[in-house]
């Protein structure tokens, strides 16, 4: 458990600093500025850590992204890790000042995170009681019945998160016809995955097609929490199919949590940029700011919610929340 014990608090510092930087642009309508600020801060802190980390899920290929690109090596040297990042999950959400914008990272030992290409992926995400009891290949109604049975409630009590996209019109109709309710989100299926896995959020599952990189990040969190993701790549053209095959993927295969996050040691952290279902957003006060984060480890089996005060100026007063 060397990686988790040495890096769990260092990792949350990465997401805290990224959230602090990105939040300066939240609500200003410029999603590129939000993403750039979060990315620069995340990269700076990662380069301060005692690791030799390779980005396996990042902001794109080297010729597409100036930093945190796939294959970039970060850190001061030390333990070798794979890194998956989303410096700002929900750039448009953050730019508009809407809820559930977060900054996210996952670390594992080498080979512990699937090198997913940047393409679409069909996903089914359920909480711990339903893990192993649903199947992505089943009809929507069958999975909802299995989920309801696992959670000891009626299908009509279920709330399913779906990305608000035209491609999901049929899925949304099937969920509603089966009796469950739909919670539409504009972005952010990683934080939605956490909401499904954590009791008391009012969310019971995530369904639909989203990004494959986000699927790997969700898998890292779900492995720590005991939930489950089942996913299938959905390449849109022959170029994407060829890229998927070149990276060792198979569009006919249903990938599960252990396939996307096979690592023995996994650290996952997220910090809120704007207020959301699980995390509060950054709150600035005179001379400082407050952040709210979640960080967890698979091997250590510890989930921490961290409420941090960052003092920028001498003499800043700390406000205690009771």
């Amino acid at each position: 458990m060397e990686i988790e014990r040495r890096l769990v608090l260092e990792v949350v510092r990465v997401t805290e600093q990224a959230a602090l930087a990105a939040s300066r642009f939240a609500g200003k309508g410029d999603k590129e500025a939000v993403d750039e600020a979060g990315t620069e801060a995340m990269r700076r802190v990662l380069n301060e850590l005692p690791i030799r980390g390779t980005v396996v899920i990042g902001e794109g290929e080297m010729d597409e992204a100036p930093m945190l690109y796939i294959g970039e090596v970060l850190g001061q040297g030390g333990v070798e890790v794979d890194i998956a990042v989303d410096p700002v999950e929900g750039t448009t959400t953050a730019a508009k000042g809407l809820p559930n914008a977060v900054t996210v990272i996952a670390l594992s030992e080498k080979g512990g995170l699937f090198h997913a290409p940047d393409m679409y992926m069909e996903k089914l995400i359920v909480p711990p009681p339903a893990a192993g009891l649903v199947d992505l290949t089943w009809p929507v109604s069958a999975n909802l019945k299995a989920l309801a049975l696992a959670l000891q409630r009626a299908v009509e009590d279920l709330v399913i998160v779906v990305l608000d996209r035209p491609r999901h019109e049929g899925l949304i109709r099937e969920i509603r016809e089966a009796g469950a309710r739909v919670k539409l989100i504009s972005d952010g299926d990683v934080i939605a995955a956490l909401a499904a896995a954590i009791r008391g959020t009012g969310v019971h599952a995530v369904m639909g097609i989203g990004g494959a990189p986000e699927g790997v990040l969700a898998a890292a969190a779900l492995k720590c929490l005991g939930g489950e993701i089942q996913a299938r790549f959905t390449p849109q053209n022959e170029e994407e199919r060829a890229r998927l095959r070149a990276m060792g993927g198979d569009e006919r295969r249903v990938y599960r949590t252990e396939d996307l996050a096979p690592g023995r040691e996994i650290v996952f952290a997220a910090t809120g940029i704007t207020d959301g279902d699980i995390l509060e957003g950054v709150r600035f006060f005179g001379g400082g700011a407050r952040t709210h984060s979640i960080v967890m480890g698979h091997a250590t089996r510890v989930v921490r919610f961290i409420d941090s005060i960052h003092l920028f100026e001498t003499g800043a007063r700390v406000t205690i929340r009771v």
Side-chain angles (χ1 to χ4, degrees), residues 94-244:
K96 292 181 177 180
L98 296 173
N100 282 318
V102 296
T103 180
V104 181
I105 190 170
L107 269 70
S108 77
E109 75 271 19
K110 298 295 290 182
L113 297 169
F114 189 87
H115 296 207
D118 189 3
M119 63 178 59
Y120 284 131
M121 170 183 274
E122 181 185 5
K123 305 170 192 175
L124 171 61
I125 296 169
V126 295
L133 302 178
V134 296
D135 194 305
L136 184 64
T137 64
W138 290 354
V140 169
S141 60
N143 277 318
L144 292 176
K145 289 177 183 177
L147 176 61
L149 186 64
L151 296 179
Q152 297 181 324
R153 63 183 68 209
V155 171
E156 289 75 14
D157 297 331
L158 300 177
V159 175
I160 312 301
V161 169
V162 180
L163 280 169
D164 190 4
R165 301 289 188 273
R167 63 178 178 266
H168 288 145
E169 288 180 3
L171 172 63
I172 293 167
R173 184 170 57 252
E174 287 186 71
I175 294 171
R176 288 172 174 165
E177 287 177 351
R181 291 170 288 163
V182 174
K183 179 178 180 179
L184 294 173
I185 60 171
S186 59
D187 294 285
D189 54 348
V190 176
I191 200 68
L194 266 71
I198 294 174
R199 189 172 183 178
T201 62
V203 170
H204 305 108
V206 180
M207 292 183 174
I209 295 173
E214 290 82 358
V216 174
L217 281 161
L222 290 162
K223 185 168 180 176
C224 296
L225 292 168
E228 182 179 30
I229 180 173
Q230 296 181 22
R232 184 164 45 194
F233 290 101
T234 56
Q236 303 298 295
N237 50 50
E238 286 303 321
E239 181 182 349
E240 288 192 353
R241 287 187 180 89
R243 187 157 181 256
L244 178 62

Side-chain angles (χ1 to χ4, degrees), residues 58-66 68-71 117-118 243 247:
E59 292 288 272
E61 302 294 346
M62 184 175 181
D63 58 349
E64 299 171 353
L68 292 178
Y69 56 83
I70 297 170
D118 189 3
R243 187 157 181 256
M247 296 181 74

Side-chain angles (χ1 to χ4, degrees), residues 242-310:
R243 187 157 181 256
L244 178 62
R245 288 193 294 269
M247 296 181 74
D250 183 351
E251 66 180 296
R252 298 166 298 180
R253 177 180 174 184
V254 173
Y255 290 81
R256 299 176 183 267
T257 312
E258 283 291 336
D259 302 315
L260 298 175
R264 296 183 306 276
E265 292 192 65
I266 293 175
V267 179
F268 175 94
T271 300
I273 299 171
T274 58
D275 287 347
D277 297 333
I278 299 172
L279 300 173
E280 295 182 359
V282 175
R283 283 168 164 73
F284 290 97
F285 57 85
R290 194 168 197 149
T291 58
H292 190 213
S293 308
I294 184 172
V295 60
M296 60 191 88
H298 168 61
T300 52
R301 301 180 66 82
V302 175
V303 178
R304 294 178 174 91
F305 284 91
I306 299 180
D307 185 11
S308 300
I309 302 241
H310 308 261

